[in-house]
Amino acid sequence: SAAFTIAIDGPAAAGKGSISRAIAAHFDLAHLDTGLLYRAVGAQVLTGSDPLRAAQNLTADDLQGDSLRSAEVARAASDVAVMPEVRAELLEFQRRFARREGGAVLDGRDIGTVIVPQAEVKLFVTAAAEVRAERRFKELLASGAETTFEQVLQDVIARDARDSSRATAPMVAAQDAVLIDTSDLTLSAAIAQAIAAIEKDF
Ligand code: C5P
């Protein structure tokens, strides 16, 4: 079958990841969580690597591991994500993945605007900052992390601000993206909305 790309963008903890995985399974498409690319580079920078070198030498193995999910790595990811040369280095891999035969779902911040502006379907998944912080706080507690709701909320707000205000590929909804606000939706309701939006174009 021909390439069919679904681009899913939005801020942290809006439900993008869960929705993307569900959609990929539902439509039998490959899935790439592009945040992992920036997290893997950020993690290497935390251990002293040069960001561009880390981006150039990234391998599939670097995208594995629970440590990539930590708040510290998320901040480091957001730091390297402002660097145009790092973004440029990661661009071709994402584009090739997006146009692979059989179709693909990519989730991130700039998929519908920069990586695949010609994507057949674009979704922008968002939710109120307090709701997203509450979800992330519960996840962190469940994983044994010691933190407070206030700390998580500040992290969420700071990361949104940095991701939205950077000069290169800022987080913004594509003009033709379908907006899904998950603030008052259960995960299954959000997935149903996403599937309905995609079925119009699939
Ligand atoms: O989505 P996730 O929280 O894993 O992303 C980590 C960070 O990577 C984001 O805060 C953002 O700075 C960066 N990112 C990006 N572009 C993407 C995906 C992630 O700049 N497509």
Side-chain angles (χ1 to χ4, degrees), residues 30-158:
H31 172 226
L32 179 65
D33 169 0
T34 64
L36 280 179
L37 303 172
Y38 296 91
R39 285 172 184 266
V41 173
Q44 293 187 31
V45 168
L46 288 175
T47 64
S49 298
D50 172 72
L52 182 55
R53 280 281 156 81
Q56 284 165 341
N57 298 321
L58 217 55
T59 69
D61 283 349
D62 297 325
L63 306 182
Q64 311 292 326
D66 286 345
S67 63
L68 293 182
R69 293 277 150 222
S70 75
E72 190 191 15
V73 170
R75 277 191 292 272
S78 166
D79 284 340
V80 301
V82 305
M83 302 172 181
E85 68 277 19
V86 167
R87 306 200 69 86
E89 190 58 42
L90 301 176
L91 191 133
E92 268 318 307
F93 172 75
Q94 295 176 79
R95 279 201 180 144
R96 268 201 309 278
F97 191 100
R99 301 318 275 175
R100 63 167 42 203
E101 217 172 291
V105 181
L106 285 82
D107 73 282
R109 302 290 186 290
D110 64 337
I111 308 304
T113 50
V114 173
I115 306 295
V116 206
Q118 75 280 30
E120 279 71 16
V121 181
K122 299 176 191 176
L123 306 180
F124 194 84
V125 179
T126 188
E130 288 72 17
V131 173
R132 292 185 287 117
E134 186 65 37
R135 290 175 187 160
R136 185 50 54 86
F137 178 54
K138 284 183 181 152
E139 281 172 18
L140 288 169
L141 284 189
S143 73
E146 279 184 40
T147 186
T148 62
F149 172 74
E150 266 312 310
Q151 177 63 56
V152 176
L153 178 61
Q154 300 212 335
D155 276 356
V156 160
I157 290 171

Side-chain angles (χ1 to χ4, degrees), residues 160-178:
D160 286 355
R162 201 159 22 167
D163 290 345
S164 306
S165 67
R166 68 180 175 227
T168 308
M171 173 175 71
V172 61
Q175 244 181 300
D176 51 348
V178 175

